[in-house]
Amino acid sequence: MAFTLDPSNQAISLADFNTLGSDFVRCFKTTNTSFKNYVYERIGRQNLIDLLDDLTPQGTEFIKGIRIIPTLRSSSTMRFVYVPTVLEEIDAFGSYRIFEADTPSDPFSLFQSADCYWVQNDDFVLLSGNDLSTAEDDYQRYRDEILISHDGSGTNFDTFDSAIDTTSALSNLPGFIALAEDNKNNNQAPDYYYILSSAEERDGNIVQTFAAGVYVPGTTQGNGQGTAAFKNKALNKLLNCPNDCKKVVAVKNRLALP
């Protein structure tokens, strides 16, 4: 089944996209260093689309997507781990349809039970052996060493709190497709997605999340043509775990994300 995005809670301006990135720099640091610039990774557009297209759902009603896990390398630089995920329909109430992810939300379980990837040279590399162990160590280091200004002040910093802080985020293939389609230039889709480490207020606390754009973070003007919802905008509202990324709701076949 094809699903579309409700742009009212998905599309954000490039200014807001940059604010999310600068807020991360302001509100996150480690025990060893502060982040000096935007933290993002570049992925070939077709590489991401192909990876998610290759997913094989078990049922007939589904949404394809990807989990993103923040990790911290021994050099105190961020690196993201990506886990392809299918959300299968588990219930329906009239126009409301509820989907549940086929992967666990806990990263330690993901490392043991799912296909996990890094990005190298704009493409995905499947992790195994020592690389998978390194990814797990890097995630534990993130939990141990990240300091977060939960109050948004940028001066008061707390340690990672498993009750409120993000362990992973979840995005969806329809969102990535719409983002690229709406920002074609002379009928040519953008070459890359930029996954941006972001800070966002959730329930009164600043937490780690992600946003996706087709423009390099810091860019203030796009070149998308037409009048579509995502023209010269970015994709926000990637669902956080905890508490939001276990289930997804669609209303009249439009994704209605928190």
Side-chain angles (χ1 to χ4, degrees):
M1 169 168 287
F3 291 89
T4 58
L5 289 175
D6 180 352
S8 66
N9 68 352
Q10 295 291 292
I12 59 171
S13 70
L14 293 183
D16 289 340
F17 181 55
N18 289 322
T19 296
L20 290 171
S22 61
D23 280 348
F24 178 84
V25 171
R26 183 174 60 85
C27 293
F28 283 72
K29 64 180 183 178
T30 76
T31 52
N32 297 316
T33 187
S34 297
F35 298 106
K36 303 299 183 184
N37 300 298
Y38 292 108
V39 178
Y40 65 90
E41 292 185 344
R42 189 177 78 172
I43 305 172
R45 174 186 55 82
Q46 198 59 52
N47 295 333
L48 187 147
I49 298 299
D50 288 346
L51 181 71
L52 300 189
D53 269 343
D54 286 344
L55 293 173
T56 305
Q58 299 300 308
T60 58
E61 310 297 341
F62 59 85
I63 304 166
K64 296 180 180 182
I66 195 165
R67 291 193 186 278
I68 309 172
I69 303 169
T71 78
L72 187 69
R73 306 174 74 174
S74 57
S75 58
S76 293
T77 58
M78 295 283 292
R79 177 163 54 186
F80 310 149
V81 173
Y82 302 86
V83 186
T85 295
V86 177
L87 296 110
E88 307 275 3
E89 183 179 282
I90 60 171
D91 217 333
F93 304 92
S95 62
Y96 290 81
R97 308 162 72 85
I98 301 174
F99 298 80
E100 188 168 63
D102 69 349
T103 56
S105 58
D106 173 59
F108 292 116
S109 297
L110 286 167
F111 293 133
Q112 298 300 318
S113 63
D115 287 341
C116 300
Y117 295 82
W118 282 331
V119 169
Q120 294 180 358
N121 299 320
D122 307 325
D123 202 355
F124 293 98
V125 176
L126 180 63
L127 301 183
S128 62
N130 290 337
D131 284 346
L132 193 58
S133 297
T134 297
E136 188 170 354
D137 290 344
D138 288 351
Y139 173 66
Q140 184 63 61
R141 183 179 297 106
Y142 178 85
R143 292 174 63 108
D144 291 343
E145 296 188 10
I146 200 72
L147 297 174
I148 307 167
S149 180
H150 287 117
D151 64 3
S153 66
T155 55
N156 300 319
F157 285 85
D158 311 312
T159 56
F160 184 94
D161 184 341
S162 59
I164 61 175
D165 285 317
T166 305
T167 58
S168 67
L170 177 67
S171 194
N172 57 83
L173 180 58
F176 284 112
I177 290 175
L179 182 61
E181 285 295 313
D182 291 358
N183 285 286
K184 284 184 175 178
N185 190 352
N186 295 324
N187 209 36
Q188 178 63 46
D191 291 330
Y192 304 104
Y193 292 113
Y194 297 89
I195 307 300
L196 177 70
S197 213
S198 308
E200 189 171 61
E201 187 272 330
R202 290 287 177 101
D203 298 324
N205 292 291
I206 294 294
V207 297
Q208 157 89 55
T209 185
F210 296 90
V214 294
Y215 306 105
V216 178
T219 302
T220 57
Q221 290 185 333
N223 59 2
Q225 299 175 353
T227 59
F230 286 89
K231 175 193 173 186
N232 297 330
K233 293 187 176 181
L235 173 66
N236 192 22
K237 295 297 182 185
L238 308 192
L239 283 77
N240 303 54
C241 291
N243 297 312
D244 300 325
C245 76
K246 184 63 176 173
K247 293 183 174 66
V248 168
V249 175
V251 183
K252 296 182 179 179
N253 296 341
R254 298 175 71 84
L255 297 184
L257 308 184

